[in-house]
Amino acid sequence: MATQQTARAIGALELLCAHPAGLALQAIADALEMPKSAAHRTLADLVELGHARQDPGTSRYLLSTRLLSLAFGFLGASGLGDVSQPLLDALAEATGELVRLGVIDGGRQVWVAKSQGARSGLRYDPDMGREAALSCTASGHAWLAALNGDDALAMVARQGIATHDGLGPNAPRTLQDVMACVCRARERGYAWVADSSSPGLSALAAAVLHPSTGAVLGTVSVAGPSLRLTEARLPVVAPALLATARELGLASSGSAFFAARASAP
């Protein structure tokens, strides 16, 4: 179990990640539900270690670039970019839409790489590093469809059904709705959602499997405006998506990150 000091430090880092312009000491203490004196000690430690800094003009605390440097260093050493980027670029070029790679890390799926195929007009381009919601995203449904029923249910139960503002009108609202989407994804061989995670957005996704063990390494997805990425385009886009998912699986041996996650489910 994490110590209180460690939990507070991680909590402060995660909070500051969500506020690039920084936060005042009292706001941090309130958000983390800790005494102001404890928040000050935690932030002082982060400043001393080089992970945060205090703006001399506003007295706000901000993240330094140290975490960013560590993240880029990790991605570079992992081989993820070398393995995935050419394949993502090719799929983006073929579809003219945003292509993303999500990787499985424990009980989370995080988007870590992308390629934008849309050169003009409407573009969908979310920030990387976000965790994919299981209940309402094509990436989440594709992952769940690659698991057995009990494991998929446990995953959704643990994360919960997305209920935040900004969901599309077709977002699943119950566990039964989610599992119905997962069943359809198993039948198709890929997941497809429209106006689910966000109104006006469509996406399809397929699981990336290790070629030897069958472990789910991640998902690859194609996303774009619903008026352009319609159900009528699925017969064209889906084969290219599935081919890229297979190629990513075959190429995964070239990544230390994937190699460490290649054990059977």
Side-chain angles (χ1 to χ4, degrees):
M1 182 179 294
T3 66
Q4 185 181 54
Q5 183 178 2
T6 300
R8 285 174 170 174
I10 296 298
L13 288 172
E14 291 178 342
L15 180 64
L16 292 176
C17 279
H19 295 84
L23 289 171
L25 174 60
Q26 187 63 60
I28 294 171
D30 291 343
L32 298 178
E33 299 181 345
M34 69 169 76
K36 188 175 180 179
S37 58
H40 184 267
R41 286 194 300 271
T42 298
L43 291 163
D45 288 343
L46 292 176
V47 170
E48 183 179 352
L49 292 170
H51 290 292
R53 63 183 179 86
Q54 188 175 22
D55 186 278
T58 65
S59 295
R60 288 182 166 221
Y61 287 90
L62 308 92
L63 282 184
S64 71
T65 58
R66 185 182 178 101
L67 278 181
L68 189 62
S69 298
L70 290 171
F72 280 130
F74 171 74
L75 285 175
S78 72
L80 272 172
D82 295 337
V83 166
S84 65
Q85 200 61 53
L87 296 171
L88 301 182
D89 290 343
L91 182 58
E93 181 69 23
T95 61
E97 303 294 356
L98 176 70
V99 172
R100 292 180 294 178
L101 173 67
V103 298
I104 308 304
D105 192 20
R108 305 168 66 239
Q109 180 184 180
V110 180
W111 289 305
V112 297
K114 66 181 179 181
S115 183
Q116 178 61 265
R119 304 305 178 192
S120 62
L122 292 174
R123 295 175 60 176
Y124 175 64
D125 196 359
D127 294 331
M128 288 295 93
R130 289 176 49 207
E131 182 175 356
L134 294 176
S135 67
C136 61
T137 65
S139 294
H141 295 172
W143 182 17
L144 294 172
L147 305 175
N148 67 48
D150 289 342
D151 287 343
L153 281 168
M155 282 282 198
V156 179
R158 183 160 56 246
Q159 189 182 88
I161 307 296
T163 58
H164 58 80
D165 293 338
L167 289 174
N170 295 332
R173 305 293 177 176
T174 67
L175 182 59
Q176 290 76 17
D177 291 341
V178 175
M179 296 313 295
C181 292
V182 172
C183 287
R184 286 194 291 272
R186 286 199 186 104
E187 292 170 359
R188 287 193 190 102
Y190 63 90
W192 179 63
V193 299
D195 301 307
S196 180
S197 62
S198 180
L201 169 70
S202 290
L204 57 161
V208 177
L209 306 178
H210 190 273
S212 299
T213 67
V216 185
L217 302 175
T219 66
V220 59
S221 64
V222 177
S226 298
L227 59 84
R228 193 168 65 214
L229 193 56
T230 62
E231 188 169 9
R233 284 189 67 197
L234 296 184
V236 176
V237 177
L241 171 76
L242 292 169
T244 299
R246 287 191 294 270
E247 289 183 74
L248 283 166
L250 292 171
S252 62
S253 59
S255 166
F257 182 92
F258 283 143
R261 291 155 176 80
S263 58

